[in-house]
Each structure stands twice: as C-alpha cells, then as structure tokens.
Amino acid sequence: MDVLGAAERVGFSERDRVRFQGLEVGDGLRVPDNAEALIAYCGVGASDREEMLAARPDPHNDPEWWTIASALASEVERDMGLALPSTGFRGWPAVPQDAPPVGLFAPAWALLASLPRLLELHAERGVPDSVTKATVSALGGVMATHRQVFGRSGVGLMPLWGPPLRFRGADYEIGRHDYTRAQLGLGDGVSGHLLMMHIPPSGPLDVQESEESVATAVESFKLWYPEEPVHGFVCHSWLLDPQLAEYLRPDSNIIRFQQRFDLTPLLPPEDPTEGDRELMRLGLQLPVPEGALDLASVPQDTSLQRAFVAHLRAGRHWYQRTGMLKGWS
C-alpha cells in the first residue's frame, strides 16, 4: 500500500502527509519474537505494555496503520548508526486526534522493530547496557507523559523527535542529559561534529548532575565514536530564553543552567507563538491546542507556570534560544 495514500486515509493533514514523502514500506514491519520483553526493557509500564501488545498493527486488519508503522521503521533502519546531518531531522508528526489505539501505538511499534539492530550497534560501539537502557527508556517516558497529558495510552498524539533518533543510534542518554550526535556543516560538506544537549523532563535541573553528565559524555563519545571528535556542545531550548530571568530567582536551577552558555543571536521564528507552544508542551507538559492558547487553563502552582501566563498576558512571547556551552573542554 502507498504510504501517502495510507496517511491520507487515516486522516493526516496535508501538511503532515508531507513528512511521509519518499518513505517506503520496505520488507514491512518486522516485530521481534520477544516483543513483550523488549517493551519492558524500554521502561514501559505494565498497563501500557498490555495496551501496546493489544494494538499491534496487522497488515490484514489494519493495512493503513501497518503501512505507516512499516515506513517509519524503514526510515530508522535506513539511518541506523548515522549522526544527525547538518540539514537536521524532521520529527514524526502526531497522529490524528481520532486515531484508534492501533494508530496511537503505531510509532511505538516502528521503534520497537528497530531495537534489536540498535542493541547490536551499541554492543559494537562498546556502549554499556546501563546507557542503552536509559536511552531506550525514552519510549516508556513518552508513554507516561502521553497518558498524563491526553488521558489515553500510546505515543501518537505527541510529535516525536527524540525517540526516533535514540532508536537509530544518534542520541544517547547519559545521566541528566541526552546528547545527539550531529554533523557540523558549513556549506561545502561536513566540517566537524557537535553534541546537541537536551534536558529530559525527569526532575530538577540540578547543576552538579548536569556538569557530571557533560564530563561523562566527553569521555564516552571519545571511546564510542573516535572518528567523530567533538568540537562543542550546543543546546536549543526554551530553557535558554533570557527573559526567564525576569521571573525566576537568580539562584534557580534554570538560571544557573543558562549562565553556562553563550547565546547565538535570536532569529525570530515565522510563527511568533512557536516558542510559547514549545514551552507549554515541554516545560509545562500541557496539551497544546491548534488555535489560540487558553491561558486560563494553565495551573498557577509553580514559578514557571506563573511566568508563562504573565508574560503572554503582557503581549510578549517566549523563544527557543541556541547556546554554546562554555569551557566544556
């Protein structure tokens, strides 16, 4: 079945269908025999495991979702072991709101089908099992967040960027941060390699834990990818918006984290609400509506929640900023 046709039939918008352009089904979704054990290895809770196993795509009963999951799995397999190119990576789009359980779990099955090959890659590179398990546990974390935000089991209602990179060996979780291997390109080819730092929503952003994570990453990637010498660490996040300093204490973990980076100039996005939506989704972990943001629905229990609302009500916007880590070497 044609991938674009399948995406149209299950209700993906024209904008989101573009993401499937050029993808192929390949040999189809190849689910490992030990699927249940692998799902548990990925940190998926018991109730979500049961629902995922019950929502496995079938080429006969769910041809469209089987085609979509197969195409996504083929993309992961195609890029297995490769660093993120300098042109970036377009995440997997969220599935339609009315998708059935098989659709909500289709991206998860695509990731799981790639796990055996990822385990081989990590073993070949000397990545310890503790790092592998922490890395792929992103699947369980996404499912827990999905249930919390949407009240439904699965992963599909959230756009996925990090998990596909983790399951192809481009992204690793090491302590408090995860790191994406990325090529540095200056127009005429690859000119070096960077590590892109990310901050999983796994608790307070403790400064000491952050520094320990960076130090461990420096030594680890020297061993795992000696052919990719790291030229620097870069972070692109709402956490680096200096406007946060107007609302948070100077000794807060977020402000102390910001102080470790040199910011690049701000390039305002085409959509001025882009940063608002990103902070709402990642920082506040709240569902983001398609239209105007409903500020009245945002809880006001934390400093960040209060800052988010007050800033927008003042007619201003939040921005994702990019920074280079100071003195990492």
Side-chain angles (χ1 to χ4, degrees):
M1 178 180 292
D2 173 70
V3 180
L4 287 176
E8 182 177 9
R9 279 190 285 276
V10 298
F12 278 95
S13 67
E14 183 177 357
R15 181 193 63 187
D16 287 339
R17 290 201 301 272
V18 173
R19 181 59 180 82
F20 298 98
Q21 189 84 40
L23 297 188
E24 299 180 356
V25 174
D27 296 331
L29 189 68
R30 291 173 290 179
V31 177
D33 293 335
N34 58 337
E36 185 170 3
L38 291 180
I39 295 172
Y41 183 81
C42 292
V44 177
S47 59
D48 285 327
R49 286 203 301 270
E50 293 178 6
E51 294 196 39
M52 180 171 171
L53 288 167
R56 173 175 169 174
D58 181 272
H60 303 293
N61 297 327
D62 317 293
E64 291 86 5
W65 287 113
W66 184 86
T67 297
I68 290 168
S70 298
L72 294 175
S74 294
E75 179 187 81
V76 177
E77 178 63 28
R78 180 196 70 195
D79 298 331
M80 185 64 67
L82 300 179
L84 187 71
S86 59
T87 52
F89 171 75
R90 290 189 64 187
W92 293 354
V95 304
Q97 290 287 330
D98 60 354
V102 67
L104 297 179
F105 280 103
W109 281 109
L111 296 174
L112 193 76
S114 308
L115 183 53
R117 178 67 187 96
L118 177 71
L119 296 177
E120 293 176 0
L121 172 68
H122 280 199
E124 292 165 2
R125 289 285 179 172
V127 179
D129 184 68
S130 58
V131 172
T132 300
K133 193 168 185 178
T135 297
V136 299
S137 289
L139 183 58
V142 169
M143 282 194 195
T145 300
H146 191 281
R147 184 184 288 274
Q148 174 187 341
V149 172
F150 300 103
R152 302 172 66 186
S153 186
V155 299
L157 295 178
M158 302 175 66
L160 299 179
W161 191 89
L165 295 178
R166 289 189 178 209
F167 279 74
R168 67 178 244 194
D171 191 275
Y172 293 82
E173 183 164 325
I174 302 173
R176 185 61 187 88
H177 299 298
D178 64 279
Y179 303 87
T180 302
R181 300 163 40 228
Q183 296 176 347
L184 175 63
L186 297 177
D188 56 353
V190 179
S191 56
H193 293 85
L194 299 170
L195 288 177
M196 298 173 62
M197 289 178 61
H198 310 285
I199 305 92
S202 56
L205 182 53
D206 182 79
V207 173
Q208 182 175 344
E209 290 181 358
S210 175
E211 292 175 346
E212 291 173 353
S213 174
V214 171
T216 302
V218 170
E219 297 305 316
S220 297
F221 283 99
K222 283 181 183 178
L223 295 174
W224 304 340
Y225 294 94
E227 74 278 18
E228 298 178 2
V230 176
H231 291 271
F233 288 75
V234 63
C235 182
H236 179 70
S237 174
W238 61 269
L239 282 161
L240 294 184
D241 189 338
Q243 297 178 110
L244 288 166
E246 300 175 26
Y247 303 93
L248 305 180
R249 299 190 320 274
D251 62 346
S252 70
N253 286 336
I254 290 178
I255 301 304
R256 294 174 68 190
F257 181 76
Q258 288 185 353
Q259 292 168 348
R260 298 169 60 202
F261 291 84
D262 289 318
L263 294 183
T264 61
L266 173 64
L267 298 176
E270 291 184 12
D271 177 3
T273 70
E274 180 182 297
D276 307 334
R277 295 174 180 279
E278 195 72 357
L279 197 159
M280 187 173 186
R281 183 174 70 87
L282 295 178
L284 306 185
Q285 295 194 9
L286 295 173
V288 181
E290 288 288 336
L293 303 183
D294 179 12
L295 299 183
S297 68
V298 178
Q300 296 292 276
D301 302 323
T302 69
S303 298
L304 184 59
Q305 290 169 342
R306 292 189 291 272
F308 177 79
V309 171
H311 194 75
L312 296 187
R313 283 183 171 160
R316 304 166 71 187
H317 291 289
W318 297 104
Y319 296 99
Q320 298 181 79
R321 297 296 300 269
T322 300
M324 298 293 295
L325 187 66
K326 303 174 182 176
W328 63 272
S329 59

